[in-house]
mmCIF file of all heavy atoms in Angstrom:
data_model
loop_
_atom_site.group_PDB
_atom_site.id
_atom_site.type_symbol
_atom_site.label_atom_id
_atom_site.label_comp_id
_atom_site.label_asym_id
_atom_site.label_seq_id
_atom_site.Cartn_x
_atom_site.Cartn_y
_atom_site.Cartn_z
ATOM 1 N N TYR L 187 11.048 10.101 -1.612
ATOM 2 C CA TYR L 187 10.696 10.248 -2.843
ATOM 3 C C TYR L 187 11.928 9.844 -3.833
ATOM 4 O O TYR L 187 11.845 8.980 -4.698
ATOM 5 C CB TYR L 187 10.086 11.489 -3.253
ATOM 6 C CG TYR L 187 9.799 11.647 -4.668
ATOM 7 C CD1 TYR L 187 8.438 11.323 -5.142
ATOM 8 C CD2 TYR L 187 10.703 12.082 -5.651
ATOM 9 C CE1 TYR L 187 8.079 11.449 -6.407
ATOM 10 C CE2 TYR L 187 10.287 12.092 -7.001
ATOM 11 C CZ TYR L 187 8.995 11.925 -7.416
ATOM 12 O OH TYR L 187 8.599 11.937 -8.673
ATOM 13 N N GLY L 188 12.967 10.546 -3.710
ATOM 14 C CA GLY L 188 14.232 10.466 -4.553
ATOM 15 C C GLY L 188 14.671 8.997 -4.523
ATOM 16 O O GLY L 188 14.957 8.398 -5.671
ATOM 17 N N LEU L 189 14.896 8.457 -3.374
ATOM 18 C CA LEU L 189 15.459 6.991 -3.320
ATOM 19 C C LEU L 189 14.470 6.083 -3.831
ATOM 20 O O LEU L 189 14.840 5.156 -4.743
ATOM 21 C CB LEU L 189 15.699 6.719 -1.810
ATOM 22 C CG LEU L 189 16.190 5.297 -1.540
ATOM 23 C CD1 LEU L 189 17.457 4.997 -2.155
ATOM 24 C CD2 LEU L 189 16.157 4.957 -0.007
ATOM 25 N N LEU L 190 13.131 6.255 -3.556
ATOM 26 C CA LEU L 190 12.128 5.335 -4.041
ATOM 27 C C LEU L 190 12.091 5.327 -5.634
ATOM 28 O O LEU L 190 12.042 4.267 -6.234
ATOM 29 C CB LEU L 190 10.764 5.623 -3.493
ATOM 30 C CG LEU L 190 9.568 4.732 -3.912
ATOM 31 C CD1 LEU L 190 9.856 3.286 -3.499
ATOM 32 C CD2 LEU L 190 8.384 5.272 -3.183
ATOM 33 N N ARG L 191 12.200 6.475 -6.160
ATOM 34 C CA ARG L 191 12.106 6.540 -7.590
ATOM 35 C C ARG L 191 13.236 5.965 -8.198
ATOM 36 O O ARG L 191 13.059 5.172 -9.268
ATOM 37 C CB ARG L 191 11.920 8.059 -7.981
ATOM 38 C CG ARG L 191 11.523 8.163 -9.420
ATOM 39 C CD ARG L 191 10.778 9.335 -9.726
ATOM 40 N NE ARG L 191 11.025 9.619 -11.220
ATOM 41 C CZ ARG L 191 10.788 10.687 -11.793
ATOM 42 N NH1 ARG L 191 10.453 11.786 -11.161
ATOM 43 N NH2 ARG L 191 11.044 10.876 -13.084
ATOM 44 N N LYS L 192 14.392 6.233 -7.680
ATOM 45 C CA LYS L 192 15.705 5.698 -8.245
ATOM 46 C C LYS L 192 15.649 4.115 -8.177
ATOM 47 O O LYS L 192 15.924 3.393 -9.056
ATOM 48 C CB LYS L 192 16.840 6.145 -7.423
ATOM 49 C CG LYS L 192 18.116 5.727 -7.854
ATOM 50 C CD LYS L 192 19.354 6.275 -7.109
ATOM 51 C CE LYS L 192 19.973 5.377 -6.279
ATOM 52 N NZ LYS L 192 21.125 5.817 -5.392
ATOM 53 N N ALA L 193 15.117 3.670 -7.025
ATOM 54 C CA ALA L 193 15.093 2.237 -6.783
ATOM 55 C C ALA L 193 14.128 1.494 -7.783
ATOM 56 O O ALA L 193 14.473 0.421 -8.345
ATOM 57 C CB ALA L 193 14.746 1.907 -5.324
ATOM 58 N N LEU L 194 12.987 2.061 -7.978
ATOM 59 C CA LEU L 194 11.951 1.484 -8.827
ATOM 60 C C LEU L 194 12.391 1.496 -10.227
ATOM 61 O O LEU L 194 12.039 0.615 -11.043
ATOM 62 C CB LEU L 194 10.615 2.108 -8.569
ATOM 63 C CG LEU L 194 9.901 1.638 -7.265
ATOM 64 C CD1 LEU L 194 8.545 2.375 -7.051
ATOM 65 C CD2 LEU L 194 9.521 0.076 -7.200
ATOM 66 N N GLU L 195 13.042 2.650 -10.646
ATOM 67 C CA GLU L 195 13.484 2.718 -12.059
ATOM 68 C C GLU L 195 14.511 1.723 -12.355
ATOM 69 O O GLU L 195 14.559 1.238 -13.469
ATOM 70 C CB GLU L 195 13.963 4.198 -12.330
ATOM 71 C CG GLU L 195 12.826 5.038 -12.628
ATOM 72 C CD GLU L 195 13.169 6.551 -12.612
ATOM 73 O OE1 GLU L 195 14.317 6.932 -12.309
ATOM 74 O OE2 GLU L 195 12.250 7.417 -12.941
ATOM 75 N N ALA L 196 15.356 1.407 -11.371
ATOM 76 C CA ALA L 196 16.457 0.507 -11.585
ATOM 77 C C ALA L 196 15.949 -0.996 -11.422
ATOM 78 O O ALA L 196 16.642 -1.944 -11.928
ATOM 79 C CB ALA L 196 17.578 0.708 -10.635
ATOM 80 N N ALA L 197 14.901 -1.235 -10.770
ATOM 81 C CA ALA L 197 14.595 -2.563 -10.396
ATOM 82 C C ALA L 197 13.965 -3.366 -11.583
ATOM 83 O O ALA L 197 13.321 -2.865 -12.504
ATOM 84 C CB ALA L 197 13.445 -2.543 -9.251
ATOM 85 N N ALA L 198 14.206 -4.683 -11.503
ATOM 86 C CA ALA L 198 13.519 -5.617 -12.311
ATOM 87 C C ALA L 198 12.020 -5.641 -11.730
ATOM 88 O O ALA L 198 11.611 -4.933 -10.857
ATOM 89 C CB ALA L 198 14.001 -7.009 -12.309
ATOM 90 N N GLU L 199 11.029 -6.500 -12.273
ATOM 91 C CA GLU L 199 9.732 -6.644 -11.770
ATOM 92 C C GLU L 199 9.833 -7.035 -10.252
ATOM 93 O O GLU L 199 10.418 -7.994 -9.829
ATOM 94 C CB GLU L 199 8.915 -7.563 -12.461
ATOM 95 C CG GLU L 199 8.050 -6.849 -13.578
ATOM 96 C CD GLU L 199 7.742 -5.419 -13.318
ATOM 97 O OE1 GLU L 199 7.176 -5.083 -12.219
ATOM 98 O OE2 GLU L 199 7.985 -4.620 -14.157
ATOM 99 N N VAL L 200 9.271 -6.273 -9.467
ATOM 100 C CA VAL L 200 9.184 -6.553 -7.932
ATOM 101 C C VAL L 200 7.765 -6.391 -7.509
ATOM 102 O O VAL L 200 6.967 -5.742 -8.199
ATOM 103 C CB VAL L 200 10.070 -5.464 -7.159
ATOM 104 C CG1 VAL L 200 11.541 -5.814 -7.303
ATOM 105 C CG2 VAL L 200 9.710 -4.052 -7.572
ATOM 106 N N THR L 201 7.457 -7.130 -6.384
ATOM 107 C CA THR L 201 6.016 -7.044 -5.984
ATOM 108 C C THR L 201 5.834 -5.994 -4.829
ATOM 109 O O THR L 201 4.766 -5.832 -4.442
ATOM 110 C CB THR L 201 5.506 -8.479 -5.551
ATOM 111 O OG1 THR L 201 6.470 -8.935 -4.511
ATOM 112 C CG2 THR L 201 5.444 -9.404 -6.712
ATOM 113 N N ASP L 202 7.002 -5.410 -4.409
ATOM 114 C CA ASP L 202 6.774 -4.365 -3.399
ATOM 115 C C ASP L 202 7.882 -3.332 -3.467
ATOM 116 O O ASP L 202 8.913 -3.565 -4.256
ATOM 117 C CB ASP L 202 6.475 -4.862 -2.027
ATOM 118 C CG ASP L 202 7.785 -5.486 -1.347
ATOM 119 O OD1 ASP L 202 8.791 -5.686 -2.000
ATOM 120 O OD2 ASP L 202 7.803 -5.751 -0.210
ATOM 121 N N GLU L 203 7.786 -2.163 -2.960
ATOM 122 C CA GLU L 203 8.821 -1.191 -3.012
ATOM 123 C C GLU L 203 10.042 -1.646 -2.189
ATOM 124 O O GLU L 203 11.138 -1.389 -2.683
ATOM 125 C CB GLU L 203 8.264 0.175 -2.427
ATOM 126 C CG GLU L 203 7.190 0.774 -3.141
ATOM 127 C CD GLU L 203 5.975 -0.011 -3.427
ATOM 128 O OE1 GLU L 203 5.368 -0.557 -2.418
ATOM 129 O OE2 GLU L 203 5.504 -0.223 -4.616
ATOM 130 N N ALA L 204 9.858 -2.292 -1.036
ATOM 131 C CA ALA L 204 11.017 -2.619 -0.209
ATOM 132 C C ALA L 204 12.008 -3.485 -1.049
ATOM 133 O O ALA L 204 13.184 -3.318 -0.969
ATOM 134 C CB ALA L 204 10.554 -3.358 0.945
#
Side-chain angles (χ1 to χ4, degrees):
Y187 180 92
L189 175 64
L190 179 58
R191 191 158 157 197
K192 180 175 115 180
L194 285 174
E195 278 171 352
E199 263 336 305
V200 284
T201 53
D202 71 351
E203 289 61 53

